[in-house]
């Protein structure tokens, strides 16, 4: 296997899962006295505020509860060591406050609702409905909160509500940049859709079939970015995610990714440019598309519904076949591109050959850019013992959307509807009346057979007054060769009649 193909397989495996789950800003827990402490982590902006409310359900009046609350900032993106340190702080019951740690131990009468409001709070901050924040985070960072509740009443049922909100909303510091990003990408796809619709309307008589595929990809891309933007907007405003909306957004994204891969495949195969139809290959393209959508939808569903604490075996079972299929699609694309450019080079069709050279260079550039970006991510974000540069992690998700939008823009420019659309359309090979010189073409077809096609010299062409006479003349003067594929479809016959009618 050649080196570029290996690189392409690596790219397809690593970009299979590009959309991560966004962090919520509100959490609800139901616990009993003397249960295990509650731990919750979140990366926040400077000035974010913490709100905690507790509701008690008991038949014993004037029950007492002891609350042990601690907040610790993690120096690294992975707060695994911070959890152990936080647990030690809670067990010591020593109240210490600093720029990185907040710790308080208090006793409350658990009659009804309890809103914790003792803490370091800036005086100019206003309350939300009379509820003041418990703590204000003084630095950007990853924080871990630990809460332990004990009581002398064993029948007590405690509901804990935790909120962390910044001036930007409930989204975390890592996820918030994706909100304006998806908003911009939605507007970008709307602009592409309007431009493509106007160009298609102006040239509606000469549209190629592949241009309809491009329009479908633009439409699904617009829906994908709109659903992701709506998902992040809901989380940012309400603090909680709607699982059904997330699944819908992921499945729309799967549909767009599926149609995008099918588009690149049919373009690489030369559909509408070199081949008038795909024949049995179309069934394989559709089959691969259906299989890819099924695997991608299954992987996204498991990724959303499975909790982090649960086993990821089912998710791995869905991710590995998806990566293998993506690798096969990439290999198919480049193999088809090689065959298509070879055919155009043998036919000496410089206009179409230049078109596919630009398209091939674009795909090669995308592969190189993907490899460089992945090496950067592996070096900066993954192969480090303590990740401190975590604010640009959102680029790992945004990069692939930007890269595909650039590839789509190049495809739109190369296959844009113009007055010269038919230059790139498939045209059956016909003899020309004005060519009196004998030309010799060597065609290396798919069967590896070399065929010599000789054009007839010095034909006395009688006047042709009708299409039927033209077709009869073609049958009598064009030599048929059994080693070459014959024109056996009504579609090719219509194309032949169209080309002959233009010569009249």
């Amino acid at each position: 296997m050649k080196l570029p193909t290996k690189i392409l397989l690596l790219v397809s495996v690593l970009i299979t899962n590009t959309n991560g789950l966004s962090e919520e800003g509100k959490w609800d827990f139901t616990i009993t006295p003397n249960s295990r402490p509650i731990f919750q982590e979140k990366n926040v902006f400077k000035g974010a505020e913490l709100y905690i409310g507790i509701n008690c359900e008991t038949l014993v009046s004037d029950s007492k509860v002891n609350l042990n609350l601690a907040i610790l900032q993690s120096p690294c993106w992975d707060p695994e060591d911070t959890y152990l340190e936080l647990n030690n702080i809670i067990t010591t019951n020593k109240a210490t406050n600093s720029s990185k740690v907040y710790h308080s131990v208090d006793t409350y009468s658990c009659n009804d609702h309890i809103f914790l409001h003792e803490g370091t709070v800036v005086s100019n901050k206003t309350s939300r409905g009379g509820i003041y924040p418990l703590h204000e985070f003084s630095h950007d960072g990853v924080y871990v909160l630990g809460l332990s509740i004990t009581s002398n009443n064993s029948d007590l049922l405690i509901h804990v509500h935790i909120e962390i909100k910044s001036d930007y909303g409930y989204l975390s510091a890592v996820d918030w940049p994706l909100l304006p990003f998806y908003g911009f990408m939605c507007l970008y796809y709307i602009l592409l859709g309007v431009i493509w619709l106007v160009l298609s309307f102006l040239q509606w008589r000469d549209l190629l079939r592949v241009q309809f595929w491009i329009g479908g990809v633009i439409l699904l891309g617009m829906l994908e970015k709109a659903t992701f933007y709506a998902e992040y907007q809901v989380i940012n405003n309400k603090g909680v995610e709607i699982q059904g909306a997330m699944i819908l957004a992921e499945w729309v994204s799967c549909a767009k990714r599926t149609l995008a891969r099918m588009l690149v495949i049919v373009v690489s195969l030369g559909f509408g440019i070199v081949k008038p139809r795909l024949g049995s290959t179309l069934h394989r393209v559709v089959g691969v598309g259906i299989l890819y959508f099924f695997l991608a939808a299954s992987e996204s569903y498991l990724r959303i519904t499975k909790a982090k604490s649960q086993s990821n075996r089912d998710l791995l079972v869905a991710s590995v076949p998806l990566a293998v299929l993506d690798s096969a699609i990439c290999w198919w694309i480049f193999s088809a591109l090689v065959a298509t450019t070879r055919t155009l080079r043998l036919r000496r069709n410089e206009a179409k050959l230049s078109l596919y050279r630009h398209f091939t260079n674009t795909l090669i550039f995308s592969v190189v850019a993907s490899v460089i970006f992945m090496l950067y991510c592996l070096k900066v974000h993954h192969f480090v013992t303590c990740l401190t540069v975590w604010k640009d992690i959102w680029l790992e998700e945004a990069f692939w959307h930007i890269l595909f939008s650039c590839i789509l823009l190049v495809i739109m420019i190369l296959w844009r509807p113009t007055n010269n659309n038919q230059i790139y359309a498939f045209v059956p090979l016909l003899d020309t009346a004005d060519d009196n010189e004998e030309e010799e073409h060597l065609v290396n077809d798919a069967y590896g057979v070399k065929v010599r096609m000789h054009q007839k010299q010095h034909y006395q062409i009688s006047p042709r007054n009708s299409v039927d006479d033209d077709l009869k003349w073609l049958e009598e003067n064009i030599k048929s060769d059994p080693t070459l594929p014959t024109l056996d479809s009504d579609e090719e016959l219509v194309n032949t009649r169209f080309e002959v009618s233009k010569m009249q």
Side-chain angles (χ1 to χ4, degrees):
M1 186 179 295
K2 297 182 179 179
L3 182 60
T5 306
K6 293 182 179 179
I7 295 176
L8 193 62
L9 299 182
L10 175 64
V11 172
S12 63
V13 171
L14 293 181
I15 68 174
T16 299
N17 183 6
T18 60
N19 295 324
L21 296 180
S22 55
E23 292 185 4
E24 296 180 309
K26 294 181 180 179
W27 303 271
D28 291 290
F29 304 92
T30 300
I31 61 175
T32 58
N34 305 318
S35 61
R36 298 180 61 183
I38 298 172
F39 292 100
Q40 184 63 49
E41 67 177 87
K42 188 176 179 65
N43 52 88
V44 299
F45 289 111
K46 176 183 178 181
E49 298 172 342
L50 170 66
Y51 300 86
I52 297 181
I54 297 176
N55 184 22
C56 303
E57 293 184 7
T58 179
L59 298 178
V60 180
S61 61
D62 198 19
S63 299
K64 301 292 184 180
V65 291
N66 300 318
L67 302 181
N68 190 349
L69 173 66
I71 304 173
L72 184 63
Q73 181 180 2
S74 172
C76 304
W77 172 253
D78 185 7
E80 182 178 355
D81 296 335
T82 307
Y83 277 103
L84 299 177
E85 185 178 356
L86 184 63
N87 188 42
N88 294 331
I89 292 175
I90 292 178
T91 56
T92 57
N93 293 328
K94 294 181 180 179
T96 58
N97 289 313
S98 66
S99 60
K100 292 186 178 180
V101 177
Y102 171 81
H103 188 198
S104 66
V105 179
D106 295 292
T107 301
Y108 296 90
S109 296
C110 196
N111 296 323
D112 196 1
H113 294 278
I114 302 175
F115 295 100
L116 307 185
H117 55 79
E118 296 85 354
T120 304
V121 181
V122 180
S123 59
N124 60 359
K125 292 288 184 179
T126 59
S127 64
R128 295 192 303 110
I131 305 174
Y132 290 89
L134 170 66
H135 181 71
E136 179 180 318
F137 299 95
S138 57
H139 299 87
D140 296 347
V142 180
Y143 290 86
V144 181
L145 178 147
L147 178 62
S148 175
I149 302 178
T150 59
S151 176
N152 54 4
N153 183 5
S154 60
D155 297 331
L156 189 64
L157 189 62
I158 304 172
H159 302 280
V160 181
H161 177 77
I162 301 175
E163 292 187 22
I164 299 179
K165 185 178 183 181
S166 67
D167 295 336
Y168 299 99
Y170 287 102
L171 280 174
S172 63
V174 168
D175 293 330
W176 187 86
L178 290 174
L179 178 62
F181 169 76
Y182 281 123
F184 171 78
M185 292 301 296
C186 183
L187 296 177
Y188 173 78
Y189 271 88
I190 291 176
L191 179 61
L192 292 184
V194 171
I195 294 175
W196 193 256
L197 186 63
V198 171
L199 293 177
S200 301
F201 178 76
L202 294 177
Q203 308 295 333
W204 65 276
R205 293 181 181 272
D206 299 324
L207 288 179
L208 304 176
R209 296 179 183 179
V210 70
Q211 291 168 343
F212 290 98
W213 285 71
I214 297 174
V217 173
I218 296 174
L219 177 61
L220 282 180
M222 188 190 314
L223 293 176
E224 177 197 29
K225 300 304 180 293
T227 51
F228 276 126
Y229 177 77
E231 172 192 340
Y232 278 84
Q233 188 68 39
V234 168
I235 297 177
N236 192 51
N237 292 335
K238 298 184 178 299
V240 293
E241 60 186 21
I242 302 176
Q243 192 175 88
M246 293 182 61
I247 294 177
L248 175 63
E250 288 290 341
W251 284 359
V252 172
S253 178
C254 293
K256 191 269 293 184
R257 287 154 49 194
T258 300
L259 188 60
R261 282 157 175 76
M262 294 174 65
L263 170 64
V264 177
I265 290 174
V266 298
V267 168
S268 302
L269 290 171
F271 174 64
I273 307 295
V274 178
K275 302 177 182 178
R277 62 173 185 168
L278 295 178
S280 60
T281 307
L282 180 61
H283 301 291
R284 293 199 294 269
V285 173
V286 174
V288 168
I290 294 175
L291 180 60
Y292 182 88
F293 178 79
F294 174 76
L295 292 177
S298 302
E299 186 271 339
S300 61
Y301 177 80
L302 293 175
R303 177 160 40 88
I304 293 174
T305 56
K306 284 285 185 180
K308 293 182 179 180
S309 58
Q310 296 180 2
S311 174
N312 292 328
R313 183 182 61 183
D314 296 338
L315 181 60
L316 184 63
V317 169
S319 300
V320 172
L322 182 62
V324 173
L325 180 60
D326 226 342
S327 304
I329 291 175
C330 294
W331 177 82
W332 190 7
I333 289 172
F334 273 82
S335 300
L337 275 176
V338 171
T340 301
T341 53
R342 182 189 297 118
T343 302
L344 293 175
R345 191 179 298 110
L346 291 174
R347 293 183 180 181
R348 300 178 182 178
N349 194 323
E350 293 298 330
K352 297 180 181 179
L353 185 59
S354 176
L355 182 74
Y356 272 87
R357 281 174 179 169
H358 285 91
F359 180 63
T360 304
N361 293 336
T362 301
L363 292 184
I364 294 176
F365 169 78
S366 65
V367 172
V368 174
S370 301
V371 172
I372 294 175
F373 180 76
M374 285 188 298
L375 293 177
Y376 166 80
C377 292
L378 291 175
K379 181 180 183 299
V380 177
H381 295 159
H382 299 280
F383 291 161
V384 290
T385 56
C386 180
L387 175 60
T388 57
V389 186
W390 50 268
K391 290 186 178 180
D392 59 351
I393 291 181
W394 66 276
L395 291 174
E396 292 190 6
E397 179 175 339
F399 173 80
W400 306 110
H401 294 280
I402 297 174
L403 181 64
F404 175 75
S405 64
C406 293
I407 297 175
L408 180 60
L409 180 61
V410 172
I411 293 177
M412 289 176 59
I413 295 175
L414 295 178
W415 276 271
R416 65 190 183 277
T418 62
N419 293 329
N420 300 323
N421 244 10
Q422 294 303 322
I423 293 179
Y424 302 106
F426 171 77
V427 179
L429 297 178
L430 298 175
D431 289 338
T432 58
D434 297 332
D435 189 4
N436 295 324
E437 295 181 0
E438 182 180 287
E439 294 184 357
E440 198 173 76
H441 300 284
L442 291 178
V443 179
N444 188 0
D445 61 358
Y447 305 98
V449 181
K450 293 186 177 181
V451 183
R452 294 183 179 270
M453 299 176 58
H454 300 277
Q455 292 187 335
K456 299 297 181 179
Q457 297 184 6
H458 308 293
Y459 279 112
Q460 299 297 329
I461 303 175
S462 59
R464 301 187 297 275
N465 298 324
S466 66
V467 176
D468 294 335
D469 294 337
D470 294 333
L471 294 176
K472 182 179 180 180
W473 179 86
L474 290 173
E475 294 176 356
E476 293 175 352
N477 291 278
I478 294 182
K479 182 180 179 181
S480 62
D481 197 318
T483 60
L484 292 177
T486 59
L487 300 178
D488 57 352
S489 66
D490 295 337
E491 182 178 1
E492 296 178 7
L493 184 59
V494 172
N495 289 334
T496 304
R497 291 175 180 267
F498 174 72
E499 293 299 324
V500 173
S501 64
K502 292 199 300 184
M503 296 189 300
Q504 293 180 350

